[in-house]
Amino acid sequence: MTPTPDPRLKAETLTVVPLAAFDETVRVLGSKSYTNRYLAIASLSGQETVIDNALLSDDTVFLARAIEAFGHVTCDIEHDAARIRVTPTGQPMRAPDQDIFVGGAGTPLRFLISMAGHAEGTTIITGNARMQERPMGDLLKALPALGVDATAVRGNGSPPIRVVGGSFKGGATSISGAVSSQFTSSLIINALRAENDTEITISDELISKPYVEMTLAALEEMGVSVERDGYRRFTVPAGQQARGGQVTVEPDASGMSYFLAAAAILQSRVTIPGIGAGSHQGDVHLVEALERMGCHTQVSDSEITLSGGRLRGIDIDMEAMPDVVPSLAIAAAYAEGVTRITNIASLRVKECDRIAAVTTELRKMGIEVEEHPDAMYITGGTPHGAVIDTYDDHRIAMTFAIGGLRTEGVVIKDPGCVAKSFPTFWQTLDTLHPTLESTK
């Protein structure tokens, strides 16, 4: 059964009403990054796999339907149970007759480019207008050495991407890690079905390292070993088969970040169960950043509790946790002094240019922001209300909604864009605050 969608997802705007202090336990959905990884691995395993506590959002559903298009598996989505069942059909992987469209789903598109190398025939993979601007050139350059012919249809390194498949031989390749760690994860996961051992050398510095750690952890949990030389070289031995059976997705650390930020700016207390000190998600380290800003934290193996305090600006390199930069930025807007967030150039090529977007919207709220190519310097103060443009970017919408919990007059345009990663975000926010108002 598919649940009834939150009508606020169809609203033109949503006004956030300020909230008093709270002390709540908040359950967030499963990790988008892990759900995508388990889906990709399961589709290559040849075994039935049940993914529990799966995140069922635009991104993950796009990936599930794209995987089905190759004909070798079915992906049964059980919305009520937050479960995806991946079942082999017994048929070989073949290129679909129709283009694969993934909307704005960046991780799925990158995983699918390599995956199409296993499918006989020619696959075209594309996305929405913003996705057709995002760079894929490093991955396209790395695949030919492994036997896969992948090219940008328009010759510009961006989607649509044409892949001539059935030829993922393996071997040795090198790839830049400077634009996206997802390229490396795409190669590592899909090397699972290569005919020969696959050796992937990172030609420069790998950014967003925790996301590769998540890939390796997901593969290990499903019985696949990857040899490594730090972050310089990864080797996937041929002949392995990922196990089937059941896997459980831990809560999404990126989704958790909004509720941590809410507690921080409202001097409140929030507990997030199901995720703790052992998580490989890089975004979990936002807890430490907020602690440096003046919050109090308790982190066990099974839950995280944060209590807000008097916030002060910090200097922080967030290269390893770029998706929670907006969450820290909204906290910085209410902190004393300047917060300098550095080494975040990768945010320029996300769903929108997030450095520019966060800068623009904070300035609308009266906050001084100094924008740099790879950094933001935010001088905390007393934000005022504003109508927030969200740029079709889920993280911008959720971030500024949190600001609206403290500041009156914050109006979020296109609140439905949260469906990309957190379709129940507004309902989850209701557990703190049942007075969100939308307009048609």
Side-chain angles (χ1 to χ4, degrees), residues 192-258:
L192 175 61
R193 283 187 59 160
E195 296 176 17
N196 306 300
D197 293 356
T198 302
E199 182 181 274
I200 303 155
T201 299
I202 309 302
S203 61
D204 43 26
E205 184 68 20
L206 180 66
I207 67 166
S208 303
K209 295 179 179 67
Y211 289 97
V212 172
E213 294 293 348
M214 292 171 66
T215 297
L216 300 176
L219 284 164
E220 182 179 12
E221 183 175 354
M222 298 184 75
V224 178
S225 65
V226 179
E227 301 165 8
R228 65 186 295 182
D229 175 11
Y231 295 103
R232 182 60 57 194
R233 185 173 296 105
F234 302 91
T235 302
V236 184
Q240 300 185 78
Q241 183 179 53
R243 71 164 178 87
Q246 186 266 349
V247 293
T248 300
V249 180
E250 71 180 23
D252 191 277
S254 308
M256 171 181 72
S257 74
Y258 308 107

Side-chain angles (χ1 to χ4, degrees), residues 94-380:
R94 297 193 182 281
D97 293 334
Q98 303 297 319
D99 293 358
I100 292 176
F101 178 82
V102 297
T107 301
L109 188 138
R110 292 175 173 105
F111 287 3
L112 289 163
I113 290 171
S114 298
M115 188 178 292
H118 300 298
E120 289 285 348
T122 300
T123 301
I124 304 293
I125 309 166
T126 191
N128 63 19
R130 173 61 177 172
M131 184 58 65
Q132 292 185 39
E133 297 173 350
R134 296 176 72 176
M136 304 291 155
D138 291 331
L139 182 56
L140 303 183
K141 292 174 187 175
L143 281 166
L146 304 180
V148 178
D149 178 11
T151 56
V153 170
R154 295 195 297 263
N156 61 352
S158 297
I161 304 298
R162 178 188 295 112
V163 183
V164 180
S167 56
F168 201 124
K169 305 295 185 185
T173 192
S174 64
I175 189 166
S176 170
V179 172
S180 174
S181 66
Q182 293 170 358
F183 299 151
T184 302
S185 289
S186 177
L187 295 174
I188 292 172
I189 289 170
N190 284 284
L192 175 61
R193 283 187 59 160
E195 296 176 17
N196 306 300
D197 293 356
T198 302
E199 182 181 274
I200 303 155
T201 299
I202 309 302
S203 61
D204 43 26
E205 184 68 20
L206 180 66
I207 67 166
S208 303
K209 295 179 179 67
Y211 289 97
V212 172
E213 294 293 348
M214 292 171 66
T215 297
L216 300 176
L219 284 164
E220 182 179 12
E221 183 175 354
M222 298 184 75
V224 178
S225 65
V226 179
E227 301 165 8
R228 65 186 295 182
D229 175 11
Y231 295 103
R232 182 60 57 194
R233 185 173 296 105
F234 302 91
T235 302
V236 184
Q240 300 185 78
Q241 183 179 53
R243 71 164 178 87
Q246 186 266 349
V247 293
T248 300
V249 180
E250 71 180 23
D252 191 277
S254 308
M256 171 181 72
S257 74
Y258 308 107
F259 300 93
L260 298 180
I265 68 173
L266 288 167
Q267 296 194 6
S268 296
R269 185 174 185 268
V270 68
T271 297
I272 313 292
I275 185 170
S279 176
H280 289 281
Q281 296 183 66
D283 290 348
V284 79
H285 295 292
L286 178 68
V287 174
E288 298 160 20
L290 291 171
E291 186 173 46
R292 287 179 55 201
M293 293 182 77
C295 298
H296 305 283
T297 63
Q298 295 173 285
V299 181
S300 71
D301 290 338
S302 59
E303 67 179 25
I304 293 171
T305 297
L306 182 140
S307 299
R310 186 173 179 178
L311 299 179
R312 57 185 177 272
I314 60 173
D315 291 355
I316 183 168
D317 180 329
M318 295 189 74
E319 180 272 325
M321 46 177 166
D323 280 348
V324 294
V325 167
S327 302
L328 187 76
I330 200 67
Y334 296 90
E336 295 179 8
V338 180
T339 298
R340 298 174 182 85
I341 305 172
T342 58
N343 204 8
I344 55 171
S346 65
L347 293 185
R348 297 286 188 188
V349 292
K350 296 288 187 178
E351 283 82 343
C352 70
D353 180 339
R354 286 185 181 150
I355 296 177
V358 171
T359 297
T360 299
E361 302 311 310
L362 283 179
R363 286 174 177 167
K364 280 185 187 177
M365 296 180 72
I367 295 301
E368 180 182 339
V369 184
E370 187 177 321
E371 180 182 356
H372 298 270
D374 64 348
M376 288 185 291
Y377 298 171
I378 301 167
T379 301

Side-chain angles (χ1 to χ4, degrees), residues 34-104:
Y34 269 124
T35 300
N36 281 329
R37 282 158 175 77
Y38 287 136
L39 263 173
I41 297 165
S43 76
L44 300 172
S45 73
Q47 306 287 320
E48 181 172 272
T49 306
V50 176
I51 305 170
D52 281 326
N53 199 41
L55 175 68
L56 304 180
S57 69
D58 288 353
D59 273 24
T60 58
V61 171
F62 270 128
L63 180 57
R65 296 309 175 217
I67 287 169
E68 284 188 315
F70 293 118
H72 66 304
V73 297
T74 60
C75 296
D76 181 25
I77 298 174
E78 302 173 34
H79 286 272
D80 286 349
R83 177 179 296 133
I84 305 175
R85 187 181 302 272
V86 183
T87 306
T89 63
Q91 300 299 312
M93 290 183 71
R94 297 193 182 281
D97 293 334
Q98 303 297 319
D99 293 358
I100 292 176
F101 178 82
V102 297

